Amino acid sequence: MNTADVLRFASFSLTGARTRTLLMILAMAIGVAAVVVLTALGEGARRYVVGQFSSLGTHLLIVFPGRSETTGNPGMLLGETPRDLTLDDALMLTRSRAIRRIAPLTVGSALVTTHRRSRETPVLGSTAEMLEVRKMSMGQGQFLPGGDPRLASPVCVLGDTVRKELFGNQPAVGEWLRIGDRRFRVIGVLAAQGQSMGFDTDELVIVPVASAQMLFNTSSLFRILIEARGRESIEKAKQDALEILARRHDGEKDVTVVTQDAILATFDRILRALTLAVAGIAAISLSVAGILIMNVMLIAVSQRRQEIGLLKAIGAAPAQIRALFFAEAAVLSFAGALAGLALGLLGSFIIGRIYPVLPSVPPWWAVVAAFSTALLTGILFSVAPARRASRLDPVESLARH
Amino acid sequence: MIRLEGIQRVFQVGDQQVHALRDIDLSIGAGEYLSIMGPSGSGKSTLLNLIGLLDRPSAGIYRLDGGDVTGLSDEEQARVRREKIGFVFQFFHLIPRLSAAANIELPLLLAGVPAAQRKTRVDQLIVDFGLTGRETHRPDQLSGGQRQRVAIARATVMEPSVILADEPTGNLDRATGQEVMNILEGLAASGVTLLLVTHDPEIGHRASRKLRMVDGGIVADERASS
Ligand SMILES: Nc1ncnc2c1ncn2[C@@H]1O[C@H](COP(=O)(O)OP(=O)(O)O)[C@@H](O)[C@H]1O
Ligand SMILES: [Mg+2]
């Protein structure tokens, strides 16, 4: 008996009991679809977060004042405030060979006014390097000019939303405006780029760091962004930054340096684990489908005792009987898996339509795993029914009940 | 070709032993036409099942075509059944979801005969057994006589040397029973060994050799003097 004949016979048996077959296919399909949809969601969340982080720029490190809590800082416990980061601290960092460029950041909020409109806007002080470090691009005009960052200069760059709100359809570059009580000339507008990790660059006004420090009457920095020379220099850059700043702070290691990679890796790990977890839960529904298939097949075996007895009488070997029942389970699971896959992909597509920010495409491994798990459970759970069928006593099976 | 020596078949029912066959010695030559009669429960079906390798004796030796088949494995016995033996049952035992033609084809399918050959063979039998026009009908669309003809076609499709028929007319009226007997006797005349269990003395007496069983033993073995 060749494989095609076995499969054909099995399909005939399945179409002979239509309701039963459809129910089992449905059970299988729901299991597979659950795996596909849930992993698509998990994977979507992961890609979303990773995408957000990646848009920060590559090989990025962030320095902020204060020791991170995990390392423990007795000084903090004693109520001692960490020393501020200064512009000179930041400029010193460029001495490290592992560091390509740095961008000091000062932030505050101020009223920005043109002759027609005004708006409370977050204001960011930085240097020309920021454009590169944060991988931003210009829509019109120039970014902040280079030169000594310690010198203030009355120029500013607008985020795209700010430009729209203040100038409407009028040209902005070259115009003057007021930030707080000082006058600045608009020298450029950022290209619209939307949200990235809480910083909506479209909503910002960027001025030279020295001007921002004057505006907000401070000499400290909020953050220092560091771009390492390459992927392999990230760790070195971190060590150098810690060392340089400690030397400048009388040996106190009172700053924290986080690498973007570390944050990214953590989120990546968490979300991957989450995806696996939901996939696992969904897989349980697959094994439920498997158990259902086993029960229904066992019932089928006792309902078809006469048929099995007859097959034996006309010369079917036990192995052939087993093959027939295996084939039924395989055809069933294959149909179920296929239906589930279609259902799952459709579901992911619909979710993708409803939440376009979530790239909800099921990962290929989940599709493969769901499909093969379905086939495997179907076949695995048909071992018992197939064995029972092949061991039936033909004389008893053929007797009228 | 069939030799039974000291065959016993004992069933354990609860803590009682039922001797369905007691010490049977029997030898049947190739091409013999043999009827088995006897009261209900005398062991006729059990004997037929043993000869057809559907059951194993509790004691004794069974030789088929010279070889001892008693100790063969299940797989080997299935093969012997497939190649040498055809069964016909009182209740037909057709597979309900398959057409007449597909039911007849089944043994060829199990034997792995190529599709083209299967078709030729099945088509031939459909003509021979007067089933033309019924080949696509399912069993529930056939009359009792037609069903039994399909069952006999299935039993002969592998061209076995032995046909075992357990009350093949038991579920048919006299006229249809007659039709079915004609077909079976036609097979016997063509050289197939035919063992026929029946309750109907009129049918039983047509055989060239008549066994009578009582309580698990053979009490009479007559050959018609021809
Ligand atoms: N599977 C079985 N279990 C127990 N007893 C059985 C079984 N099959 C047959 N018997 C007993 O064996 C005896 C012979 O049965 P059987 O060969 O079917 O008789 P017949 O076909 O002549 O009517 C009967 O007493 C029957 O009850
Ligand atoms: Mg009987």
Side-chain angles (χ1 to χ4, degrees):
Chain A
M1 208 172 179
N2 66 36
T3 316
D5 289 334
V6 171
L7 285 176
R8 202 150 42 85
F9 188 86
S11 312
F12 252 120
S13 313
L14 290 172
T15 47
R18 200 158 291 146
T19 327
R20 198 185 75 200
T21 304
L22 285 179
L23 273 176
M24 287 205 277
I25 289 178
L26 188 68
M28 204 45 125
I30 289 173
V32 172
V35 173
V36 170
V37 170
L38 289 176
T39 50
L41 276 177
E43 181 70 2
R46 192 182 68 83
R47 284 201 208 171
Y48 175 73
V49 170
V50 169
Q52 290 280 298
F53 270 98
S54 303
S55 66
L56 271 174
T58 45
H59 320 317
L60 194 69
L61 295 90
I62 305 165
V63 183
F64 46 91
R67 195 180 286 200
S68 80
E69 289 120 59
T70 47
T71 53
N73 184 347
M76 293 271 251
L77 288 177
L78 296 172
E80 189 182 297
T81 47
R83 198 180 314 224
D84 285 339
L85 284 172
T86 64
L87 193 52
D88 288 330
D89 286 343
L91 295 175
M92 218 51 172
L93 291 176
T94 54
R95 298 214 171 158
S96 161
R97 300 243 323 274
I99 292 172
R100 174 172 289 150
R101 37 174 101 83
I102 58 127
L105 292 186
T106 303
V107 292
S109 182
L111 195 67
V112 180
T113 35
T114 62
H115 54 279
R116 275 190 297 169
R117 279 170 240 190
S118 69
R119 185 178 188 275
E120 185 76 18
T121 304
V123 176
L124 198 92
S126 193
T127 60
E129 263 75 48
M130 183 179 177
L131 190 69
E132 274 300 311
V133 173
R134 284 289 313 270
K135 304 285 179 245
M136 297 187 297
S137 49
M138 298 303 294
Q140 305 154 30
Q142 310 289 317
F143 195 66
L144 299 178
D148 189 346
R150 277 165 285 221
L151 299 181
S153 131
V155 293
C156 70
V157 174
L158 304 183
D160 198 53
T161 309
V162 179
R163 173 195 63 80
K164 245 179 268 168
E165 290 188 1
L166 294 176
F167 293 98
N169 292 326
Q170 308 295 316
V173 177
E175 296 296 315
W176 287 83
L177 46 69
R178 280 187 164 280
I179 302 176
D181 54 358
R182 286 164 193 275
R183 277 164 52 82
F184 288 83
R185 196 164 62 90
V186 179
I187 56 167
V189 177
L190 293 172
Q193 45 211 319
Q195 193 98 9
S196 95
M197 286 319 288
F199 267 128
D200 190 345
T201 47
D202 292 349
E203 299 271 355
L204 286 181
V205 173
I206 303 172
V207 299
V209 62
S211 309
Q213 287 182 327
M214 276 158 68
L215 263 178
F216 303 122
N217 192 25
T218 173
S219 60
S220 70
L221 294 176
F222 170 64
R223 297 278 188 271
I224 305 170
L225 301 182
I226 298 176
E227 187 186 329
R229 269 197 196 279
R231 207 183 161 74
E232 52 305 325
S233 5
I234 290 175
E235 200 46 40
K236 179 83 171 80
K238 180 177 175 179
Q239 292 313 319
D240 285 357
L242 283 171
E243 207 170 292
I244 291 168
L245 293 174
R247 210 177 308 135
R248 286 183 55 82
H249 293 181
D250 307 323
E252 280 295 334
K253 291 201 169 176
D254 57 359
V255 299
T256 301
V257 181
V258 296
T259 64
Q260 178 204 355
D261 273 18
I263 303 172
L264 198 59
T266 307
F267 269 95
D268 196 55
R269 252 196 330 274
I270 292 171
L271 289 164
R272 249 182 223 286
L274 207 70
T275 304
L276 275 178
V278 289
I281 291 166
I284 292 173
S285 69
L286 264 183
S287 58
V288 170
I291 291 169
L292 187 76
I293 286 189
M294 177 170 74
N295 278 314
V296 177
M297 294 281 279
L298 283 173
I299 294 168
V301 169
S302 43
Q303 278 173 348
R304 277 154 62 187
R305 289 168 67 99
Q306 287 201 34
E307 175 186 328
I308 295 161
L310 172 86
L311 287 174
K312 289 194 160 183
I314 61 175
Q320 284 182 315
I321 307 264
R322 279 198 297 274
L324 286 176
F325 276 85
F326 269 146
E328 269 188 43
V331 169
L332 208 62
S333 325
F334 189 75
L338 221 56
L341 214 57
L343 212 65
L345 291 177
L346 183 72
S348 316
F349 175 75
I350 291 172
I351 291 171
R353 275 304 185 78
I354 299 173
Y355 303 104
V357 291
L358 271 188
S360 72
V361 175
W364 65 267
W365 58 262
V367 173
V368 173
F371 203 82
S372 41
T373 316
L375 274 185
L376 208 70
T377 33
I379 291 172
L380 219 63
F381 280 106
S382 69
V383 168
R387 275 166 69 109
R388 181 179 290 191
S390 75
R391 285 178 180 180
L392 280 182
D393 174 4
V395 176
E396 266 181 63
S397 313
L398 282 168
R400 289 285 279 194
H401 293 285
Chain B
M1 64 173 303
I2 294 173
R3 281 190 68 85
L4 303 178
E5 294 164 21
I7 292 286
Q8 309 238 17
R9 182 65 172 102
V10 183
F11 290 105
Q12 191 76 38
V13 181
D15 45 29
Q16 272 207 316
Q17 292 201 325
V18 178
H19 288 261
L21 294 177
R22 298 171 195 271
D23 215 17
I24 300 278
D25 290 305
L26 179 65
S27 93
I28 302 167
E32 273 197 90
Y33 170 17
L34 193 142
S35 73
I36 306 170
M37 289 193 283
S40 193
S42 57
K44 308 182 294 293
S45 296
T46 306
L47 181 64
L48 222 56
N49 290 336
L50 274 172
I51 293 173
L53 292 173
L54 283 183
D55 197 4
R56 290 172 186 271
S58 313
I61 293 174
Y62 170 20
R63 286 184 221 282
L64 181 62
D65 292 336
D68 186 351
V69 291
T70 332
L72 293 183
S73 73
D74 285 355
E75 306 276 336
E76 290 163 334
Q77 288 201 340
R79 185 189 178 80
V80 173
R81 227 158 32 222
R82 191 156 65 219
E83 290 171 355
K84 297 190 175 170
I85 293 161
F87 274 100
V88 179
F89 304 96
Q90 181 180 358
F91 297 104
F92 325 129
H93 287 307
L94 300 177
I95 294 185
R97 61 179 180 279
L98 297 182
S99 68
N103 267 289
I104 297 172
E105 190 189 10
L106 218 43
L108 298 171
L109 206 67
L110 290 169
V113 175
Q117 259 171 274
R118 296 204 300 253
K119 184 158 167 37
T120 326
R121 190 82 191 101
V122 171
D123 287 352
Q124 181 62 48
L125 283 173
I126 282 174
V127 175
D128 289 354
F129 286 24
L131 290 164
T132 313
R134 301 270 179 269
E135 49 272 59
T136 58
H137 290 203
R138 275 187 283 116
D140 57 2
Q141 298 165 315
L142 298 173
S143 73
Q146 286 167 342
R147 287 185 212 180
Q148 197 58 300
R149 275 184 274 158
V150 171
I152 298 172
R154 181 182 62 196
T156 55
V157 76
M158 287 289 291
E159 301 180 332
S161 47
V162 184
I163 299 257
L164 305 171
D166 196 347
E167 302 189 35
T169 59
N171 218 26
L172 302 174
D173 62 46
R174 186 156 286 275
T176 6
Q178 203 49 249
E179 243 174 69
V180 165
M181 280 313 299
N182 288 340
I183 291 177
L184 287 173
E185 286 175 352
L187 292 170
S190 72
V192 174
T193 310
L194 175 63
L195 270 69
L196 178 80
V197 169
T198 183
H199 269 123
D200 186 338
E202 205 172 298
I203 289 174
H205 285 302
R206 288 156 63 157
S208 54
R209 184 175 170 192
K210 285 161 285 197
L211 292 189
R212 183 162 178 80
M213 292 187 68
V214 174
D215 196 20
I218 297 174
V219 295
D221 184 352
E222 303 168 23
R223 283 165 209 263
S225 42
S226 51

